[in-house]
Amino acid sequence: MQSQDVASRPVPSGADGPGSVVDVEQAEAALVEHYPRLVRLAYLVLPPSLSRGRRVLTAHALTQRALPRGRASAPVIPAQSTGGRDGDPGYAYVRLQVLRTALEAGLPLKRRALPKRSQLPPLLPQVWGLRLFPRSGGADELALDQRLAALSAPARAGYALRGLERLDDDDVRKVLADAGVDDPGAALAQADEVPAQYALLDSPEFDPCSLQARPTDLMRRRQHLKAALAATAALAVCGALLGLPGDGWAPDGAAAPAYAQNPSAKAALDPARLVKISPAAWRSSVRTDFSVWPARGELTGDSDLLRRALAVWARPGETVKVSATPGTPSGGPAGPPQLLYAGEIDNARVVILYDGLRIARYAEPKDGTAGAALDFARMDGATDAEANAVLLHRVDGNVRYLTAPWVTKAAERDLMKPGSGAMDLTVTAGVTSPMASPATRTGTCTSWNVLQLTTPTGTRLTSDLGELVPARLTTGRPGSTHDASGAEALRTWSPFACSLGAVRGQGVRTVNAWSYASQELPESGGTATWVCTRAETWRGGGERVLAQFHTPGGTYGAVAAKGESVPACGPRDPQVLAGVLWKSEAGSWYLLAAGGRGTASIETTGGVEASAQGSLLAVRTEQGAKAELTGTLEDGRSVDALR
């Protein structure tokens, strides 16, 4: 790199003027991007008196502690022109911190003075039972390591800055001075005693990120392990004797023995401390979610039942069947939860609880606690669009729901038959009559019943996907979706209803069906529809996307492509491209492809070479042809096809 005039650059705080301001995010980005080089720099500067394994762990520890606690001033020191570090104040800051602490680690300990943190063995990272050290280099690397070991720490730092960072001597003096070296010139003079074999610094001999492992002293470790096991056994016996509850645990039914007796844990498990919302609270509250649901059911005053439900939630026994949607923690509540329901449904006693993050459902048979079940579902951030119903009971292919207090009507309808009407469900004290559920059905899909709820803000469709809260169904272009309640929305969903089975049990919050293209089929085959269905989850990850193709008169849509955890068909990237092989009535095969609005052209390569302007492509081909699709948007960006 060409040398720069030091006097023309801003200088660091504490020198001749203020440096650049660096925040934590900028410093972290630089540290993560250049972590291997920073660790190598620390490893070279650390004192050779440390073992190679200790130097490795210390180098990593010093680098990981190089972030500022807040916004900080950083020197603007020239960096190597490669690697994207040139002029990066974040990198200049973390490099200076790594260098400063590595130099401090080599200082001798002083009497009557507390050691600096870098002079102590690192707390993190730690490795037990293994010795880690860099891979061995050749004879040249070994000779260079011995020569560097004979230098002082500032001289090693100067040599490393010359070799690793490609800094000229003026810049090296500047960095060493900022790192606290009293005489940078003397350090460089001492570094001149070692031949300038800078290329060797990039070898595995000096790379603490490329390691080999060997066991520690096995005999000594076995002796220590025996002593530790004996001490642990003694501690466990004492803990068991001290931790037994005074009044036993029989009233808790299927719960495991208690392990906590602190006041906070007791409060969370005390049925008298359960939160019970007034039946009229939702009418005046600005919130319309589960937090304003009143407690319902004829057993809300049954302290024994509520105590068992809370105890099983905190510590489910081995016989309790526990289930949780993906991304949902199953631990006990942090404080007293809110009671939504406690009552008898069919042949079971059911308790529904809410802790602000999760819905928990406890169920036990009427004749005892054997066979108790505990289900969890994540519900944080629910709005009035999703907080409309909770599963109460599932038996013999039917489900019953507890509806929100603002629900005025409930019905069921077959999503595959948009022209048929909805069948009203009886709602008593918020509890619906049984309705058929497709969630656990096997075999051919001939119908898909969904729950239709009427609220003051509109009518919504939700589908049981085998979870505690049914998923909301919507239609429309991403970013402007709406509930699938009108006639057009029902027609959009009809051919693709059975595809909902692909997202059962995935913690789904909403599923949107977007009709993104219509295509005239070759040979006067009619008009086909391209629809993209996207399932969003409560945890914010694991989204499922299906691009589906529906021909005129067909009962079902065909899945043309799919993706998981991709932005396609979502508000972040409302674009999609998919293709399918289609056979005409005359027996001819075609490659059909469609993109969303804003697609300027589509090109196919591989087994089929063709291109088309606009968002549609149709080209004749052969059965089984393989092709790669690529689209270009009107703004010039490219879009790849779902697979």
Side-chain angles (χ1 to χ4, degrees):
M1 185 184 77
Q2 295 180 350
S3 62
Q4 301 182 34
D5 182 5
V6 177
S8 66
R9 297 193 309 270
V11 294
S13 177
D16 299 326
S20 301
V21 176
V22 176
D23 55 26
V24 177
E25 290 78 11
Q26 187 178 4
E28 182 183 22
L31 188 148
V32 172
E33 181 179 0
H34 307 296
Y35 183 85
R37 182 167 292 273
L38 292 168
V39 177
R40 190 187 293 257
L41 177 63
Y43 181 84
L44 288 168
V45 177
L46 284 170
S49 58
L50 300 176
S51 66
R52 297 180 72 194
R54 170 79 177 275
R55 284 172 67 190
V56 166
L57 296 180
T58 303
H60 282 276
L62 297 181
T63 304
Q64 293 171 15
R65 296 204 302 261
L67 292 179
R69 296 183 181 274
R71 294 173 64 85
S73 296
V76 183
I77 301 297
Q80 183 183 5
S81 59
T82 59
R85 303 194 308 278
D86 191 18
D88 181 5
Y91 178 76
Y93 178 89
V94 294
R95 180 182 63 188
L96 181 60
Q97 293 300 110
V98 168
L99 190 62
R100 181 178 293 150
T101 52
L103 290 170
E104 290 175 351
L107 297 177
L109 297 176
K110 298 180 180 180
R111 289 187 177 183
R112 299 181 182 180
L114 293 176
K116 296 181 179 294
R117 186 179 180 185
S118 57
Q119 294 176 287
L120 300 174
L123 296 177
L124 291 174
Q126 286 286 353
V127 178
W128 298 92
L130 288 175
R131 292 186 294 114
L132 300 178
F133 45 91
R135 299 181 181 276
S136 299
D140 293 337
E141 288 87 350
L142 179 59
L144 177 60
D145 187 43
Q146 292 173 346
R147 293 189 182 100
L148 291 176
L151 299 179
S152 64
R156 286 194 303 274
Y159 191 94
L161 290 172
R162 282 173 171 173
L164 287 179
E165 297 299 296
R166 306 293 193 268
L167 298 183
D168 59 39
D169 285 359
D170 289 341
D171 295 328
V172 171
R173 293 188 188 93
K174 187 74 172 172
V175 176
L176 291 178
D178 290 339
V181 176
D182 294 331
D183 192 349
L188 285 182
Q190 188 181 4
D192 289 335
E193 300 174 5
V194 178
Q197 298 174 298
Y198 299 137
L200 297 180
L201 296 181
D202 291 325
S203 72
E205 176 77 20
F206 307 104
D207 185 8
C209 292
S210 179
L211 305 171
Q212 53 184 344
R214 293 293 184 271
T216 56
D217 189 328
L218 299 179
M219 292 301 296
R220 181 180 299 176
R221 194 167 75 192
R222 181 178 297 176
Q223 296 171 354
H224 291 173
L225 180 61
K226 290 180 179 179
L229 289 176
T232 302
L235 184 62
V237 172
C238 294
L241 293 175
L242 294 174
L244 287 175
D247 54 355
W249 48 77
D252 294 340
Y259 64 86
Q261 294 293 320
N262 63 77
S264 297
K266 286 185 176 181
L269 304 181
D270 185 356
R273 302 285 293 274
L274 282 172
V275 178
K276 299 179 181 179
I277 303 300
S278 167
W282 67 273
R283 298 182 182 276
S284 58
S285 175
V286 296
R287 302 187 62 168
T288 50
D289 56 14
F290 295 110
S291 66
V292 293
W293 278 33
R296 287 171 286 181
E298 70 277 15
L299 299 180
T300 56
D302 189 337
S303 297
D304 292 338
L305 171 64
L306 299 178
R307 180 179 289 106
R308 289 195 299 272
L310 290 169
V312 171
W313 184 355
R315 48 185 196 279
E318 294 181 356
T319 61
V320 178
K321 300 177 181 178
V322 180
S323 69
T325 56
T328 304
S330 58
Q338 177 185 343
L339 177 63
L340 302 184
Y341 180 86
E344 292 186 353
I345 295 292
D346 299 328
N347 59 348
R349 287 186 291 264
V350 177
V351 177
I352 306 292
L353 301 165
Y354 174 63
D355 69 350
L357 172 67
R358 302 162 294 173
I359 294 286
R361 175 185 176 272
Y362 171 78
E364 64 180 25
K366 283 185 179 180
D367 56 357
T369 60
L374 183 64
D375 304 311
F376 294 98
R378 184 170 173 175
M379 293 292 125
D380 52 315
T383 65
D384 62 334
E386 297 100 6
N388 286 309
V390 173
L391 176 77
L392 275 184
H393 197 47
R394 185 191 306 276
V395 63
D396 297 332
N398 295 321
V399 291
R400 301 181 70 178
Y401 289 101
L402 176 68
T403 62
W406 50 82
V407 171
T408 58
K409 185 179 179 181
E412 68 173 312
R413 70 180 312 141
D414 187 352
L415 194 59
M416 295 185 65
K417 299 176 181 177
S420 62
M423 299 175 55
D424 290 343
L425 296 174
T426 302
V427 181
T428 305
V431 179
T432 69
S433 55
M435 63 169 283
S437 170
T440 58
R441 185 178 54 204
T442 58
T444 304
C445 178
T446 58
S447 64
W448 194 277
N449 287 3
V450 294
L451 176 66
Q452 178 175 293
L453 299 174
T454 303
T455 72
T457 58
T459 300
R460 295 188 172 91
L461 290 187
T462 59
S463 176
D464 178 25
L465 297 179
E467 302 170 6
L468 290 183
V469 175
R472 177 190 178 195
L473 302 182
T474 62
T475 58
R477 181 177 175 83
S480 58
T481 60
H482 52 84
D483 285 289
S485 55
E488 182 178 354
L490 292 174
R491 286 193 295 270
T492 299
W493 260 111
S494 174
F496 312 104
C498 292
S499 67
L500 289 169
V503 293
R504 281 181 286 203
Q506 298 302 312
V508 174
R509 181 173 187 166
T510 63
V511 186
N512 184 60
W514 171 34
S515 180
Y516 69 90
S518 296
Q519 185 172 23
E520 293 296 327
L521 297 174
E523 301 181 15
S524 302
T527 303
T529 303
W530 291 88
V531 169
C532 188
T533 58
R534 180 181 175 90
E536 302 285 356
T537 66
W538 286 97
R539 63 187 182 277
E543 302 84 2
R544 303 287 184 93
V545 178
L546 297 177
Q548 304 190 63
F549 179 74
H550 180 237
T551 55
T555 303
Y556 308 100
V559 176
K562 56 186 175 180
E564 183 173 353
S565 299
V566 295
C569 298
R572 289 183 177 271
D573 185 19
Q575 297 295 338
V576 62
L577 176 63
V580 68
L581 288 176
W582 174 77
K583 183 181 180 182
S584 69
E585 292 186 359
S588 301
W589 285 91
Y590 290 85
L591 171 63
L592 306 178
R597 187 175 64 191
T599 303
S601 64
I602 300 175
E603 181 180 8
T604 174
T605 57
V608 182
E609 299 282 345
S611 63
Q613 296 298 311
S615 60
L616 301 173
L617 178 144
V619 57
R620 191 161 183 170
T621 185
E622 298 177 352
Q623 181 179 5
K626 303 290 184 180
E628 295 288 334
L629 288 173
T630 303
T632 301
L633 303 180
E634 293 176 353
D635 60 6
R637 293 185 296 126
S638 63
V639 56
D640 294 328
L642 286 176
R643 300 183 184 279

